[in-house]
Amino acid sequence: MPTPIVGLHHVTAIASNPQRNLDFYTQVLGLRFVKRTINFDDPGSFHFYFGDDAGSPGTILTFFPWPGATRGSHGVGETTATAFSVPAGSLEFWEKHLLAHGVPAERTGQRFDEQVLSFADPDGMRLEIVAHADAAPVQPSRFADIPAEHAIRGFFGVTLALADAGRTAQVLTTMGFPQVAVEGNRTRFSAPGAALGNHIDLVVPKNPSYGRMGAGSVHHIAFRTTDDAAQLAWKELLTNEGLAVTPVQDRTYFHSIYFREPGGVLFEIATDPPGFALDEPVESLGEGLKLPPWLEPKRAQVEKNLPVIELKKGGAQ
């Protein structure tokens, strides 16, 4: 077997207004703006990365902010909720904090052994904050005003909506996420240990309908692997399981392979290295536009085509 996958590496979603997206995740949720670069498949648009102070795997939420993108709709074959991890006892702080900044938030009760706070970002992306005893140590953004004891640690996990969970369950088990609990129409698969992003919930709606990708939709979820050799071992194993896995893609800060799991959700397996400090020091992460080497000679034209954004430091006023 390849080196075990211990949890999520990142989640990538679609936004509409770049400045609004940047402000919400840094000013309201207190995440660090880890990297501003471009969408390698669409160099005329940004690719934003948010995370903890160092841009650690398991904390990274990324966005393709496409100005004017129409809002998507949620349905089966999609990631329908992305959950952040906070310590037990922090939910009251987050409920008050979100409501104070005009973000409707609802306590949705206990799910398995955790308390859950549900809300949406400005594009309608469904987010959750999960309070639990095993929250990881914190590396809060140095620019956030969120008290360190309540700061988001990284991912707790994601929820996938599926018309039929059977074959997806088999893939998750193969990837080292065995089934650990069932509650109603929700089944949880968890990688062993207390790593970030190690919970994948599968939900089968009573009346399933397919969603439409757009602003507020999750484009794909990425799982962590330790290095290139482990990634190639996973590529071979999953290909032998009948999945159509892509060749390795160089994403500068990690290397990636992709495949669509049987329920329709796009999965990625990404390497932990090289990491986000590859081309700028941790102290100034996200402060300048970073381009892949093959686009650097066209920097002036790329910058001209991108929207103007302002990175604000400190919490929302």
Side-chain angles (χ1 to χ4, degrees):
M1 283 290 291
T3 303
I5 292 170
V6 295
L8 295 171
H9 183 281
H10 66 268
V11 173
T12 294
I14 299 170
S16 54
N17 184 300
Q19 186 66 56
R20 185 177 66 179
N21 179 259
L22 176 59
D23 290 346
F24 180 80
Y25 284 96
T26 58
Q27 301 288 287
V28 179
L29 293 194
L31 302 181
R32 179 102 187 257
F33 191 36
V34 171
K35 191 70 61 178
R36 70 174 83 186
T37 182
I38 49 89
N39 183 337
F40 288 5
D41 300 317
D42 178 17
S45 61
F46 279 119
H47 193 174
F48 290 166
Y49 292 78
F50 303 97
D52 71 358
D53 194 65
S56 306
T59 75
I60 303 297
L61 179 58
T62 99
F63 284 91
F64 302 136
W66 288 320
T70 57
R71 183 166 291 198
S73 61
H74 302 291
V76 297
E78 291 189 336
T79 300
T80 53
T82 301
F84 295 111
S85 168
V86 299
S90 290
L91 223 56
E92 182 176 357
F93 166 84
W94 277 103
E95 184 177 27
K96 292 179 178 178
H97 176 78
L98 291 169
L99 292 174
H101 290 96
V103 181
E106 177 186 7
R107 291 207 193 202
T108 49
Q110 183 167 309
R111 178 187 301 160
F112 299 113
D113 295 325
E114 300 89 25
Q115 295 292 325
V116 181
L117 184 68
S118 299
F119 59 104
D121 81 355
D123 285 300
M125 179 179 172
R126 294 175 181 170
L127 300 171
E128 296 172 340
I129 291 178
V130 179
H132 62 114
D134 295 328
V138 66
Q139 296 188 75
S141 167
R142 64 192 64 198
F143 303 119
D145 289 341
I146 305 295
E149 64 269 24
H150 298 305
I152 289 171
R153 270 47 179 170
F155 293 122
F156 179 82
V158 292
T159 298
L160 313 183
L162 304 168
D164 183 349
R167 293 175 62 201
T168 303
Q170 293 175 8
V171 171
L172 288 172
T173 301
T174 298
M175 293 174 64
F177 287 75
Q179 179 179 318
V180 296
V182 178
E183 191 174 84
N185 67 340
R186 180 181 294 268
T187 305
R188 174 160 294 175
F189 296 78
S190 299
L196 290 167
N198 65 330
H199 302 295
I200 311 296
D201 288 0
L202 305 186
V203 170
V204 179
K206 292 181 179 179
N207 299 300
S209 61
Y210 286 92
R212 184 185 69 254
M213 193 65 65
S217 300
V218 172
H219 186 271
H220 65 269
I221 62 173
F223 296 85
R224 294 177 63 181
T225 192
T226 52
D227 53 31
D228 292 330
Q231 184 183 67
L232 289 174
W234 278 109
K235 183 178 187 300
E236 180 180 7
L237 187 154
L238 293 168
T239 299
N240 290 339
E241 292 289 322
L243 295 164
V245 185
T246 68
V248 176
Q249 308 291 313
D250 185 353
R251 301 307 191 191
T252 303
Y253 310 107
F254 46 87
H255 301 148
S256 302
I257 56 175
Y258 302 86
F259 61 97
R260 202 166 289 279
E261 57 80 31
V265 181
L266 184 59
F267 280 9
E268 174 184 351
I269 297 179
T271 57
D272 281 0
F276 293 100
L278 176 70
D279 55 2
E280 59 184 335
V282 170
E283 290 74 20
S284 58
L285 285 175
E287 296 188 14
L289 177 67
K290 299 300 176 182
L291 299 177
W294 52 273
L295 265 181
E296 193 60 53
K298 301 179 180 179
R299 172 175 286 272
Q301 185 61 42
V302 170
E303 290 182 336
K304 181 180 178 181
N305 292 336
L306 292 171
V308 175
I309 59 169
E310 177 189 1
L311 174 60
K312 303 165 187 173
K313 297 180 180 179
Q317 301 301 313

